[in-house]
Amino acid sequence: KPNDLQGAWACSSCHDEIDRRTRIFENEFVRLAHAEGVMKTQNILIKDGKIKL
């Protein structure tokens, strides 16, 4: 399991897909979408001062 800094905010349906409990989308697309979500989540947390660099 990744550390907390590698998490992404997502709805329960997206989490099911990321964790592969559902397999609606191709794995490569899901991995890319999750990576983008991680970057967007980190960006928000940095802007809000929750993560300090």
Side-chain angles (χ1 to χ4, degrees), residues 6-29:
Q6 294 171 319
W9 293 331
C11 69
S12 62
S13 295
C14 289
H15 275 287
D16 285 342
E17 194 66 25
I18 291 164
D19 292 340
R20 304 312 280 165
R21 287 187 291 270
T22 57
R23 294 176 184 265
I24 298 167
F25 299 102
E26 294 291 328
N27 189 53
E28 185 176 338
F29 171 77

